[in-house]
Amino acid sequence: MKSLASDNYAGVLPEIMEAILAANQQHAGSYGHDQITHRVFQSFRQAFGEIADVRFVFNGSGANVLSVSCAVDSFSSILCADISHMYVDESTSPETFTGCRLMPLKTNEDGKITVQSIKERIIRIGDEHHPQPKILSITQPTEYGTVYSLAEIREISGLLKANDMYLHIDGARIFNALVSLNATIKEMITDTGVDIISFGGTKLGMLFGEAVVVMHPDLSKNLKFRHKKSMQLSSKNRFIACQFEALLKNNLWQQYAQHANQMAAYLNEQIKEVSRITVTKPVQANAVFAIMPRDWTKALQEVMPFYVWDERTNEVRLMCSFDTTKDEIDEFVEVMKSLP
Amino acid sequence: MKSLASDNYAGVLPEIMEAILAANQQHAGSYGHDQITHRVFQSFRQAFGEIADVRFVFNGSGANVLSVSCAVDSFSSILCADISHMYVDESTSPETFTGCRLMPLKTNEDGKITVQSIKERIIRIGDEHHPQPKILSITQPTEYGTVYSLAEIREISGLLKANDMYLHIDGARIFNALVSLNATIKEMITDTGVDIISFGGTKLGMLFGEAVVVMHPDLSKNLKFRHKKSMQLSSKNRFIACQFEALLKNNLWQQYAQHANQMAAYLNEQIKEVSRITVTKPVQANAVFAIMPRDWTKALQEVMPFYVWDERTNEVRLMCSFDTTKDEIDEFVEVMKSLP
Amino acid sequence: MKSLASDNYAGVLPEIMEAILAANQQHAGSYGHDQITHRVFQSFRQAFGEIADVRFVFNGSGANVLSVSCAVDSFSSILCADISHMYVDESTSPETFTGCRLMPLKTNEDGKITVQSIKERIIRIGDEHHPQPKILSITQPTEYGTVYSLAEIREISGLLKANDMYLHIDGARIFNALVSLNATIKEMITDTGVDIISFGGTKLGMLFGEAVVVMHPDLSKNLKFRHKKSMQLSSKNRFIACQFEALLKNNLWQQYAQHANQMAAYLNEQIKEVSRITVTKPVQANAVFAIMPRDWTKALQEVMPFYVWDERTNEVRLMCSFDTTKDEIDEFVEVMKSLP
Amino acid sequence: MKSLASDNYAGVLPEIMEAILAANQQHAGSYGHDQITHRVFQSFRQAFGEIADVRFVFNGSGANVLSVSCAVDSFSSILCADISHMYVDESTSPETFTGCRLMPLKTNEDGKITVQSIKERIIRIGDEHHPQPKILSITQPTEYGTVYSLAEIREISGLLKANDMYLHIDGARIFNALVSLNATIKEMITDTGVDIISFGGTKLGMLFGEAVVVMHPDLSKNLKFRHKKSMQLSSKNRFIACQFEALLKNNLWQQYAQHANQMAAYLNEQIKEVSRITVTKPVQANAVFAIMPRDWTKALQEVMPFYVWDERTNEVRLMCSFDTTKDEIDEFVEVMKSLP
């Protein structure tokens, strides 16, 4: 049974599997000292620009925690949305690993952090009694499936630079944002002033693996040490690298991310025709948020599982994957229409 | 010049100085293995009840961090007011020392944490992705100088116990709360179900030193190990113990805390007669919060310094100490009345 | 080119690749809530006994740090060999993640920790000034390729239990030890009193992944929380589980571990005929340690790379993998014989 | 009863008490923003040189941990003697607060760290798998009461600088070393290349309090933030500062440290005449180490308590204080002579 619960319920892309099989031909140096890792490093530089430094990690928590650890002193605070994955779904890993404060920011109705909310937290600079803000993490696309525009990212990064702070993107679904804005990696990430990104692979069909890409020399300076000590350095590193190589080759990611986004758009369209269910957020990537009758939940989840996002309002999250099909959506909506 | 900035601007009580001089008569065992410490330990047991375990620490941050560290696992969250000293004025000490998340709670207009706000944070219990709430810290009196009633504390501690959580009091000014409620130590702290308290001495005229008093065997189990590793164990421990002995003897604290509270009440009375300044919070301990014209600040601070609490509204905090006098208040209010 | 540098230079077993392909047939619950993970959990219980709790992690550092974190308080010390991977090759991850002291123990000439060396570190119990020993980690096989006998493990675990301490095995190459002793998993690990083990898969031909297996209820109590916060919980968890399923099925591990050990034994035999090179440690698993002329190193490393273990004596480590062949060893030794 | 157990069994110097009483005349700014602190800051600059930055802390553990925290990244190692207070008597505070590895070094028979032992630990630089050595802590006088010469300190600091490392002194008894070498503060600390020192006051008769003095801009850069977050910033900071002022004024410390050292020298002389007890270390500061019959211990400890340093050999430590008297020593030695 397919699922609309999360794109990490989906499996592995055939091109990724082929890449792994192809990488398994011979012995290779461990911990990143192999030819494939070196080769993919260059692919990342082509995509992000020559300033980029790259390390491969196992999962999203590892990518986020390693990323912010590169920016902070132990007396720093890390600003992030109060609905962000780092704040609500990564246990206390950020605190334990960095010793820092996570400072939660309220988001606007689209799930975005606003310039105003950041400014309210850039306070008491130089006051040793208060955690010193040093990095902001935004999620792109946001937890609500909306997408920051390039102008919005630039405005945020400008504000941060003016205050000696860094900008991190949690890009667990970054490819969905890229196709949503029809932007290149360099346009969205390097050129807008992002300093470091958790560049997600798992949710677009990798077996496992994410990348941390750094665009600022301050943050890359001790990257290899922080990478190792975060327990996120794989001995058979080439098997993460080769998966990213497959995704980046001929922009394969575009095809699959586009598909997932299109399925969300299609689902959004179909739902509009159904009364008693209301889409609550702009559908800009691969997620559809909607409020529906509480007594629909069980019956619909038997067709395709999904998460109830807000128990109070019965707002649900319907997340499309690279392998969601129109037929599946049609069937899902048909059942919806049949419900009293 | 006296000050209304903070009660830690004040010096040391004469009885405290005498106690220190008296303790300095001979060699004594170090790190708490001395007769004075043993004797004062018994005084605390008399005040708190036989369940109490006590350790002496250097300062308020140490007391708070040691206290919460006794309750948590490294995957726990610590609930506290978003205006609490622990949240805004103790750098990232709690996170570094415990590895845990501080979860900020909004307070009501009196600066109190409500049962409702706690309930909203007791969520996702058993879900390993989310920090698990384990202890709540309230400040008594609150940062706004208001005082939780015994019933309010009991209601909070009941809610926490029902959820396998602990209750901590940041009692930097606990004596001011005790006289405010006309309650004994045992009535306010032990009998209401408080599990651990930062029992403040410095702000009522000790040279330095606070106590951590534990009323729950789970939390006292490894207390001595956590005490030492918090770097808060004094080699000449008897010089903290003797100060508390002086304060507790014949309830000396009552006299001085009563005075400070009375001065705040008097200041409150006097201010009421002045137009253009409005007291904003109930005056229940030794602090008066008031909004006054922005252009008064400088002139008044030259009479007695004080803090501007909220720059946006020019709400100021006027904190009375054990040595604040009526004459000083009269002079202060006179100048106030003279300002245009 | 094959390598004798490390068994993590080798690739992935064909049976493992097939298992991954087979697991990639449909959507599945994330973070371990899937049928394959549940199934493999039962396989582990069959192998280890019903007491076992199991979590899958990404790599060896993660397994070790998660393991010891289950046993300690923040004032504990962790005893380990001063040549152990945890002590010399995992950066400061153990300290950062647990806050504890690593206490290095000297090993005997076979690289084993002795009962005597442990006793010398079980000191100052109850003294809050000193880190309190709580867990010992041994490596099986040791860093020198030797293997603790079942009696040796039992003696160590008995000493630890008598002192309220736990026993951890770093089993990055545990399968090589099992075939060396011709023991079952249950005989070597559960029945000897081991409390928790880093159960290694990567070095025997998994793509990635290790397991943490717990045999003591104290340590499994909060396992899921510590697992998540160690950043070692994979969203597509089934792809680690399925690899272990393949290894455990019909004891597939025996075949490959046996082969690697036999190749080491064969290499040991062949080297004995060569003058000017001396095997320095008993060859009991898949490693051969030997001292050879310094000027041989470069020429031999061009045939098959290996590590110089001790630069002062030119002791080298020759590590056989599941895919090392007799022909390769013959060629390696031939070149050796041809060197002046 | 006086004691030879530790100089922290002694009380407070009369000049220190007077200074505290004198400082208690009026309200003053908190957390170091007071005139006394500013004044004493200048006294330290006069003693150490203009490069010095100074912060006052509560105790020795706080001083040591704050000091090393200024030098390290979280992937660093901290080198120290395996008999140092930081290694054996400060629980796991250094690890918890910094996340770093403590690397124990063997000392020579005088309890000193040698250049050779340091060199053996400056290994694997740039290798992310291994903790990176960044600071060395020596104790002056050493744990055995011996004193590093200026030339020895210079040699160590030179080696460290050449390897991009820093030098810390744990100077809990630094004044005893200064009089031993007849050196000024600047000569022993600033001019030898020490980067940061825990400058001890408590053991020479302060009520409480130590100073952290920094001689390197890299380490002072974020000093105030690390000071606060170490929970070692006193709100009534002036009461630590004033004690140091008294000690530094007219080099008062010389008189008392000289006395303690002289008493140790005298004790050493007297013991030489007693058979069956052998002084084991050069007596260069205020401690005498000696091996004596095991059955003497109890009887002698009833005259003046002391510590058995090594239970295996019955080596004892006899520590003289600023208030030890010749008569007391004479009586102690008389009893010694009377023992069978």
Side-chain angles (χ1 to χ4, degrees):
Chain A
M1 183 168 62
K2 290 281 190 63
S3 165
L4 295 170
S6 176
D7 26 9
N8 62 24
Y9 277 50
V12 184
L13 293 173
E15 293 89 346
I16 296 284
M17 279 296 192
E18 283 162 29
I20 290 174
L21 288 165
N24 188 31
Q25 298 305 314
Q26 51 186 356
H27 279 212
S30 54
Y31 297 112
H33 299 290
D34 68 271
Q35 293 180 345
I36 299 177
T37 299
H38 292 169
R39 201 167 68 205
V40 183
F41 187 86
Q42 292 309 322
S43 302
F44 271 81
R45 288 221 160 164
Q46 282 167 24
F48 283 83
E50 286 304 307
I51 198 178
D53 198 355
V54 189
R55 288 299 182 286
F56 300 111
V57 299
F58 292 114
N59 66 355
S61 296
N64 285 340
V65 171
L66 171 56
S67 290
V68 296
S69 82
C70 290
V72 294
D73 281 298
S74 67
F75 49 80
S76 304
S77 65
I78 299 159
L79 279 49
C80 60
D82 62 0
I83 57 168
S84 65
H85 197 269
M86 184 156 60
Y87 198 72
V88 301
D89 276 312
E90 301 185 359
S91 185
T92 57
S93 304
E95 286 89 349
T96 296
F97 197 69
T98 68
C100 295
R101 169 82 41 86
L102 285 199
M103 280 286 187
L105 305 188
K106 290 274 172 219
T107 57
N108 69 13
E109 76 255 17
D110 289 348
K112 294 182 185 176
I113 292 174
T114 64
V115 162
Q116 182 54 33
S117 68
I118 302 169
K119 283 182 178 165
E120 286 170 8
R121 272 298 175 193
I122 305 182
I123 54 169
R124 300 181 63 180
I125 303 305
D127 175 354
E128 68 268 29
H129 298 263
H130 198 68
Q132 299 290 295
K134 197 65 194 172
I135 187 168
L136 168 75
S137 178
I138 62 172
T139 310
Q140 171 80 326
T142 71
E143 287 72 17
Y144 286 136
T146 57
V147 177
Y148 289 92
S149 71
L150 300 194
E152 286 172 328
I153 300 175
R154 267 195 299 267
E155 190 183 8
I156 289 174
S157 81
L159 172 64
L160 296 176
K161 277 179 205 344
N163 286 280
D164 196 24
M165 291 178 61
Y166 300 104
L167 175 58
H168 168 252
I169 288 185
D170 177 350
R173 296 183 178 95
I174 192 69
F175 296 118
N176 302 96
L178 287 166
V179 299
S180 174
L181 292 181
N182 194 24
T184 66
I185 289 172
K186 187 160 176 299
E187 285 166 354
M188 184 191 283
I189 301 164
T190 317
D191 295 350
T192 55
V194 175
D195 296 299
I196 189 164
I197 182 170
S198 299
F199 194 74
T202 309
K203 286 193 164 81
L204 194 66
M206 279 175 50
L207 184 69
F208 71 109
E210 318 274 304
V212 168
V213 191
V214 188
M215 270 75 60
H216 195 297
D218 288 355
L219 306 193
S220 56
K221 191 179 152 205
N222 289 313
L223 180 59
K224 72 172 182 177
F225 295 107
R226 301 193 194 284
H227 182 206
K228 170 64 191 177
K229 86 162 281 190
S230 70
M231 309 182 293
Q232 292 282 324
L233 174 56
S234 178
S235 62
K236 298 183 177 176
N237 203 63
R238 62 196 183 277
F239 291 114
I240 305 179
C242 72
Q243 298 180 67
F244 273 111
E245 185 168 46
L247 274 188
L248 293 178
K249 193 175 174 186
N250 301 325
N251 291 339
L252 180 72
W253 55 269
Q254 278 185 336
Q255 165 189 334
Y256 287 110
Q258 191 77 59
H259 176 80
N261 285 12
Q262 284 170 344
M263 288 302 100
Y266 181 72
L267 176 57
N268 183 26
E269 282 304 309
Q270 300 306 306
I271 282 180
K272 278 188 181 154
E273 299 175 15
V274 189
S275 62
R276 304 194 61 203
I277 175 164
T278 311
V279 172
T280 50
K281 310 288 174 195
V283 176
Q284 298 174 340
N286 59 325
V288 177
F289 283 77
I291 292 179
M292 65 183 196
R294 213 170 289 270
D295 51 9
W296 284 13
T297 310
K298 190 157 177 293
L300 278 173
Q301 282 177 333
E302 281 171 14
V303 187
M304 282 205 285
F306 54 84
Y307 287 135
V308 176
W309 188 263
D310 186 337
E311 303 239 349
R312 290 168 302 183
T313 59
N314 211 48
E315 187 178 26
V316 303
R317 187 186 78 168
L318 308 171
M319 185 65 78
C320 296
S321 306
F322 64 83
D323 63 353
T324 306
T325 66
K326 263 194 176 177
D327 285 353
E328 289 160 358
I329 292 175
D330 288 340
E331 186 195 342
F332 188 73
V333 176
E334 276 314 301
V335 174
M336 202 182 272
K337 287 175 176 167
S338 75
L339 291 171
Chain B
M1 183 169 59
K2 290 283 190 63
S3 165
L4 295 170
S6 177
D7 26 9
N8 62 25
Y9 277 50
V12 184
L13 293 173
E15 294 88 345
I16 296 285
M17 278 296 191
E18 283 161 28
I20 291 173
L21 288 165
N24 188 31
Q25 299 305 316
Q26 51 187 356
H27 280 210
S30 54
Y31 298 111
H33 299 290
D34 67 271
Q35 293 179 347
I36 299 177
T37 300
H38 293 167
R39 202 168 67 208
V40 184
F41 186 87
Q42 292 309 321
S43 302
F44 270 81
R45 287 220 162 165
Q46 282 167 25
F48 282 84
E50 286 304 307
I51 198 177
D53 198 355
V54 189
R55 288 300 182 286
F56 300 112
V57 299
F58 293 113
N59 66 354
S61 295
N64 285 341
V65 171
L66 171 56
S67 291
V68 297
S69 82
C70 290
V72 295
D73 282 298
S74 67
F75 49 81
S76 304
S77 65
I78 298 158
L79 279 49
C80 60
D82 63 1
I83 57 169
S84 65
H85 198 270
M86 184 157 59
Y87 198 71
V88 301
D89 276 313
E90 302 185 0
S91 184
T92 57
S93 303
E95 286 89 349
T96 296
F97 197 70
T98 68
C100 295
R101 170 81 42 87
L102 285 200
M103 282 285 188
L105 305 187
K106 291 272 171 222
T107 57
N108 69 14
E109 75 257 16
D110 288 349
K112 294 182 183 175
I113 293 174
T114 64
V115 162
Q116 182 55 30
S117 68
I118 302 169
K119 283 182 179 166
E120 287 170 8
R121 272 298 176 194
I122 305 183
I123 54 169
R124 300 183 60 181
I125 304 304
D127 175 354
E128 68 269 30
H129 298 262
H130 199 69
Q132 299 289 294
K134 196 64 193 174
I135 188 168
L136 169 75
S137 178
I138 63 173
T139 310
Q140 172 80 324
T142 71
E143 287 72 17
Y144 286 135
T146 58
V147 177
Y148 289 92
S149 71
L150 301 194
E152 286 171 327
I153 300 176
R154 267 195 298 267
E155 189 183 10
I156 289 174
S157 80
L159 171 64
L160 295 176
K161 279 178 202 348
N163 287 280
D164 196 24
M165 290 177 63
Y166 300 104
L167 176 57
H168 168 252
I169 287 185
D170 178 349
R173 297 183 177 96
I174 192 69
F175 296 118
N176 302 97
L178 288 165
V179 299
S180 174
L181 293 181
N182 194 24
T184 67
I185 289 171
K186 186 159 177 298
E187 285 167 353
M188 184 191 285
I189 301 164
T190 315
D191 295 350
T192 55
V194 174
D195 296 298
I196 190 163
I197 181 170
S198 299
F199 193 73
T202 309
K203 287 193 163 79
L204 194 67
M206 279 175 51
L207 184 69
F208 71 109
E210 318 274 304
V212 168
V213 191
V214 188
M215 270 74 62
H216 195 296
D218 288 354
L219 306 194
S220 56
K221 191 179 152 204
N222 289 313
L223 180 60
K224 72 171 182 177
F225 295 107
R226 300 193 195 286
H227 182 206
K228 170 64 191 177
K229 85 163 282 190
S230 70
M231 309 180 294
Q232 293 281 324
L233 174 56
S234 178
S235 61
K236 298 182 176 175
N237 202 63
R238 61 196 183 277
F239 291 113
I240 306 180
C242 72
Q243 297 179 66
F244 273 113
E245 186 168 47
L247 274 188
L248 294 178
K249 194 176 174 185
N250 301 325
N251 290 340
L252 179 72
W253 55 268
Q254 278 184 336
Q255 165 190 335
Y256 286 110
Q258 191 77 59
H259 176 80
N261 285 12
Q262 284 170 344
M263 288 302 100
Y266 181 72
L267 176 58
N268 182 27
E269 283 303 308
Q270 300 307 308
I271 281 180
K272 276 187 183 155
E273 298 176 15
V274 189
S275 60
R276 303 194 61 205
I277 175 165
T278 311
V279 173
T280 51
K281 311 286 176 196
V283 176
Q284 298 175 339
N286 58 325
V288 177
F289 282 77
I291 292 179
M292 64 184 197
R294 212 171 291 269
D295 51 9
W296 282 16
T297 309
K298 190 156 175 294
L300 278 174
Q301 283 178 333
E302 282 170 15
V303 186
M304 282 205 285
F306 54 83
Y307 288 135
V308 176
W309 188 264
D310 187 337
E311 303 239 349
R312 290 167 303 182
T313 59
N314 210 49
E315 187 178 28
V316 303
R317 187 185 78 167
L318 308 171
M319 185 66 80
C320 296
S321 306
F322 64 83
D323 63 355
T324 305
T325 66
K326 263 193 174 176
D327 286 352
E328 289 160 358
I329 292 175
D330 288 341
E331 186 194 342
F332 188 74
V333 175
E334 277 314 301
V335 175
M336 202 182 272
K337 286 175 177 166
S338 74
L339 290 172
Chain C
M1 183 169 60
K2 290 284 189 61
S3 166
L4 295 169
S6 177
D7 27 8
N8 62 24
Y9 278 50
V12 184
L13 293 172
E15 293 89 344
I16 297 285
M17 277 298 191
E18 283 162 28
I20 291 174
L21 288 166
N24 189 31
Q25 298 306 315
Q26 51 186 355
H27 280 210
S30 54
Y31 298 111
H33 299 290
D34 68 272
Q35 293 179 348
I36 299 177
T37 299
H38 292 166
R39 203 166 68 207
V40 183
F41 186 87
Q42 292 310 320
S43 302
F44 270 81
R45 289 221 161 164
Q46 283 167 24
F48 282 84
E50 286 304 306
I51 198 178
D53 199 353
V54 190
R55 288 300 183 286
F56 300 112
V57 300
F58 292 114
N59 66 354
S61 295
N64 285 341
V65 171
L66 171 56
S67 290
V68 296
S69 81
C70 290
V72 294
D73 281 299
S74 67
F75 48 80
S76 304
S77 64
I78 299 159
L79 279 48
C80 60
D82 63 0
I83 56 168
S84 65
H85 198 269
M86 184 155 61
Y87 198 71
V88 301
D89 277 312
E90 302 186 358
S91 184
T92 58
S93 304
E95 286 89 350
T96 296
F97 198 70
T98 68
C100 295
R101 170 82 42 87
L102 285 199
M103 280 285 187
L105 305 188
K106 290 273 171 220
T107 57
N108 68 14
E109 75 256 15
D110 289 348
K112 295 182 183 175
I113 292 174
T114 64
V115 162
Q116 183 53 32
S117 68
I118 302 169
K119 283 182 179 166
E120 286 170 8
R121 273 298 176 195
I122 305 183
I123 55 169
R124 300 182 62 181
I125 305 303
D127 175 353
E128 68 268 30
H129 298 262
H130 198 69
Q132 300 288 295
K134 197 63 195 174
I135 188 168
L136 168 75
S137 178
I138 62 173
T139 310
Q140 172 81 323
T142 72
E143 287 71 19
Y144 286 135
T146 57
V147 177
Y148 289 91
S149 71
L150 300 195
E152 286 172 328
I153 300 176
R154 267 194 299 266
E155 190 184 10
I156 290 174
S157 80
L159 171 64
L160 296 176
K161 279 180 203 344
N163 286 280
D164 197 25
M165 290 178 61
Y166 300 104
L167 175 58
H168 168 253
I169 287 185
D170 178 348
R173 296 183 178 94
I174 193 67
F175 295 119
N176 302 96
L178 288 166
V179 298
S180 175
L181 292 181
N182 194 24
T184 66
I185 289 172
K186 187 159 176 299
E187 285 167 355
M188 183 192 284
I189 301 164
T190 316
D191 294 351
T192 55
V194 174
D195 296 298
I196 190 163
I197 182 170
S198 299
F199 193 73
T202 309
K203 287 194 164 78
L204 194 68
M206 280 176 49
L207 183 69
F208 71 108
E210 318 275 303
V212 169
V213 191
V214 188
M215 270 74 61
H216 195 297
D218 288 354
L219 306 194
S220 56
K221 192 178 152 206
N222 289 312
L223 180 59
K224 72 172 183 177
F225 295 107
R226 299 192 195 285
H227 182 206
K228 170 63 191 177
K229 85 163 281 192
S230 69
M231 309 181 292
Q232 292 281 325
L233 174 55
S234 177
S235 62
K236 297 181 177 177
N237 202 64
R238 61 196 183 277
F239 291 114
I240 305 180
C242 72
Q243 298 180 67
F244 272 111
E245 186 168 46
L247 274 188
L248 293 179
K249 194 176 174 186
N250 301 325
N251 291 339
L252 179 72
W253 55 268
Q254 277 185 336
Q255 165 189 336
Y256 286 110
Q258 191 77 60
H259 175 80
N261 286 12
Q262 285 170 345
M263 288 302 100
Y266 181 72
L267 176 59
N268 183 26
E269 283 302 309
Q270 299 307 307
I271 282 180
K272 276 185 182 157
E273 298 174 15
V274 189
S275 61
R276 303 194 60 204
I277 174 164
T278 310
V279 173
T280 51
K281 311 286 175 196
V283 176
Q284 298 175 340
N286 58 325
V288 176
F289 283 77
I291 292 180
M292 64 183 197
R294 213 171 289 271
D295 52 8
W296 284 14
T297 310
K298 189 154 177 295
L300 278 174
Q301 282 178 333
E302 281 169 15
V303 186
M304 282 205 284
F306 54 83
Y307 286 133
V308 176
W309 187 264
D310 187 336
E311 303 237 350
R312 291 168 302 183
T313 59
N314 211 48
E315 187 179 27
V316 303
R317 188 185 78 168
L318 308 171
M319 184 66 78
C320 296
S321 305
F322 63 84
D323 62 354
T324 305
T325 66
K326 262 193 176 177
D327 286 351
E328 289 160 358
I329 290 175
D330 287 340
E331 186 195 342
F332 188 73
V333 176
E334 277 313 301
V335 175
M336 202 182 272
K337 287 175 178 170
S338 74
L339 290 171
Chain D
M1 184 168 58
K2 290 282 188 64
S3 166
L4 295 169
S6 177
D7 27 7
N8 62 25
Y9 277 50
V12 184
L13 294 173
E15 293 88 345
I16 297 285
M17 278 297 191
E18 283 162 29
I20 291 173
L21 288 166
N24 189 31
Q25 299 306 316
Q26 50 187 358
H27 280 210
S30 54
Y31 298 111
H33 299 290
D34 67 272
Q35 293 179 347
I36 298 177
T37 299
H38 292 168
R39 203 167 67 207
V40 184
F41 186 87
Q42 292 309 321
S43 302
F44 270 80
R45 289 221 161 164
Q46 283 167 23
F48 283 83
E50 287 303 306
I51 198 177
D53 199 355
V54 189
R55 289 299 183 286
F56 301 111
V57 300
F58 293 114
N59 66 354
S61 296
N64 285 340
V65 171
L66 171 56
S67 291
V68 297
S69 82
C70 290
V72 294
D73 281 299
S74 67
F75 48 80
S76 303
S77 64
I78 298 159
L79 279 49
C80 60
D82 63 0
I83 57 168
S84 65
H85 198 269
M86 184 156 60
Y87 197 71
V88 302
D89 276 311
E90 301 184 0
S91 185
T92 56
S93 303
E95 286 89 349
T96 296
F97 197 69
T98 68
C100 294
R101 169 82 41 87
L102 284 199
M103 281 285 186
L105 304 187
K106 290 274 172 221
T107 57
N108 68 14
E109 74 257 17
D110 288 348
K112 294 182 184 175
I113 292 175
T114 64
V115 161
Q116 183 54 33
S117 68
I118 302 169
K119 283 182 179 166
E120 286 170 8
R121 272 301 175 192
I122 305 183
I123 53 169
R124 300 182 63 181
I125 305 303
D127 175 353
E128 69 267 29
H129 297 262
H130 198 68
Q132 299 289 294
K134 197 65 195 172
I135 188 168
L136 168 75
S137 178
I138 62 173
T139 310
Q140 171 81 325
T142 71
E143 287 71 17
Y144 286 134
T146 57
V147 178
Y148 289 91
S149 71
L150 301 194
E152 285 172 329
I153 300 175
R154 267 194 299 266
E155 189 183 9
I156 289 174
S157 80
L159 172 63
L160 295 176
K161 279 181 204 343
N163 286 280
D164 196 24
M165 290 178 62
Y166 301 103
L167 175 58
H168 168 251
I169 287 185
D170 178 348
R173 297 183 177 96
I174 192 68
F175 295 118
N176 302 96
L178 287 166
V179 298
S180 175
L181 292 181
N182 195 25
T184 65
I185 289 171
K186 187 158 175 298
E187 285 166 353
M188 183 191 285
I189 301 164
T190 316
D191 295 351
T192 55
V194 175
D195 296 298
I196 190 163
I197 182 171
S198 300
F199 193 74
T202 309
K203 287 194 163 80
L204 194 67
M206 279 175 49
L207 183 69
F208 71 109
E210 318 275 303
V212 169
V213 191
V214 188
M215 271 75 61
H216 195 296
D218 287 356
L219 307 194
S220 56
K221 191 180 152 204
N222 289 313
L223 180 60
K224 72 172 182 177
F225 295 107
R226 300 193 194 285
H227 182 205
K228 171 63 191 179
K229 86 162 283 190
S230 69
M231 308 182 293
Q232 292 281 324
L233 174 55
S234 177
S235 62
K236 297 182 177 176
N237 203 63
R238 61 196 183 277
F239 291 114
I240 306 180
C242 72
Q243 297 180 67
F244 273 111
E245 186 168 47
L247 274 188
L248 293 179
K249 193 175 173 185
N250 302 324
N251 290 340
L252 179 72
W253 55 268
Q254 278 185 335
Q255 165 190 336
Y256 287 110
Q258 190 78 60
H259 176 80
N261 285 12
Q262 284 169 344
M263 289 301 100
Y266 181 72
L267 176 58
N268 183 26
E269 283 303 309
Q270 301 306 307
I271 282 181
K272 277 186 183 158
E273 299 174 14
V274 188
S275 61
R276 302 194 63 203
I277 175 164
T278 310
V279 173
T280 51
K281 311 286 176 196
V283 176
Q284 299 175 339
N286 59 325
V288 176
F289 283 77
I291 292 180
M292 64 184 197
R294 212 172 290 270
D295 51 9
W296 284 15
T297 310
K298 190 154 174 297
L300 278 174
Q301 282 178 333
E302 281 171 16
V303 187
M304 282 205 284
F306 53 84
Y307 286 134
V308 177
W309 188 263
D310 186 337
E311 303 237 349
R312 290 167 303 183
T313 59
N314 210 49
E315 187 179 26
V316 304
R317 188 186 77 167
L318 308 171
M319 185 66 79
C320 297
S321 306
F322 64 84
D323 63 354
T324 305
T325 66
K326 264 193 174 175
D327 286 352
E328 289 160 357
I329 291 176
D330 287 339
E331 186 196 342
F332 188 73
V333 175
E334 278 312 302
V335 174
M336 203 181 272
K337 287 175 175 167
S338 74
L339 290 171

